[in-house]
Amino acid sequence: MVNARLALAIVSLLTINSTSHAQDITAGATVFKKCTACHSVEEGQNKVGHSLHKVIGRTAGTLAGYQYSQAMKAAGAGGLVWDEATIEDYLVAPKDKVKGTKMAFAGLKNLKDIKDLYAYLQSVSQ
């Protein structure tokens, strides 16, 4: 009986934990509105910042047709590839992650916003 209660408690906690951190593409699209002054998710549509179309899995500083900072090119040459962990790390403090980046954005402080934004970017990276 104790084992059954323990198992139920563990399953309940795991369910609550996974639900509270679930990524939400719709919420991510809303978060992305903070990015639209400089970025687009349309293929080939660069603005002040590069297009984020298919950014997931892309090596940093390599999108053809966009003039990246030397710092971002060096980060890519050093192995920086955009995935969930690197995007999260970058968006918390862009200038700390890539010193010398020309991205002026101060960063996102809410981890849920970052995870939702990642889900949205992933949806437009298909």
Side-chain angles (χ1 to χ4, degrees), residues 1-88:
M1 184 71 165
V2 173
N3 286 340
R5 286 184 189 161
L6 179 60
L8 181 59
I10 290 170
V11 169
S12 295
L13 286 173
L14 290 174
T15 302
I16 290 168
N17 190 36
S18 66
T19 303
S20 65
H21 294 293
Q23 296 175 340
D24 182 336
I25 293 170
T26 302
T30 300
V31 174
F32 184 73
K33 290 179 182 177
K34 296 176 183 179
C35 312
T36 58
C38 299
H39 293 281
S40 167
V41 293
E42 301 301 318
E43 185 173 9
Q45 186 179 351
N46 295 323
K47 294 182 173 183
V48 172
H50 59 89
S51 170
L52 296 175
H53 179 76
K54 295 189 176 183
V55 69
I56 308 300
R58 184 190 308 155
T59 300
T62 62
L63 180 66
Y66 182 76
Q67 294 297 315
Y68 288 94
S69 65
Q70 288 302 317
M72 190 60 73
K73 289 179 188 177
L80 178 61
V81 175
W82 298 119
D83 61 21
E84 187 170 8
T86 56
I87 286 175
E88 180 179 314

Side-chain angles (χ1 to χ4, degrees), residues 3 34 44 47 51 88 90-91 95 98-99 103 109 113 119-120 123-124 126:
N3 286 340
K34 296 176 183 179
K47 294 182 173 183
S51 170
E88 180 179 314
Y90 183 73
L91 288 178
K95 292 190 181 293
V98 179
K99 294 188 184 338
M103 187 161 125
K109 304 309 174 202
D113 284 351
Y120 174 69
S123 77
V124 298
Q126 313 263 331

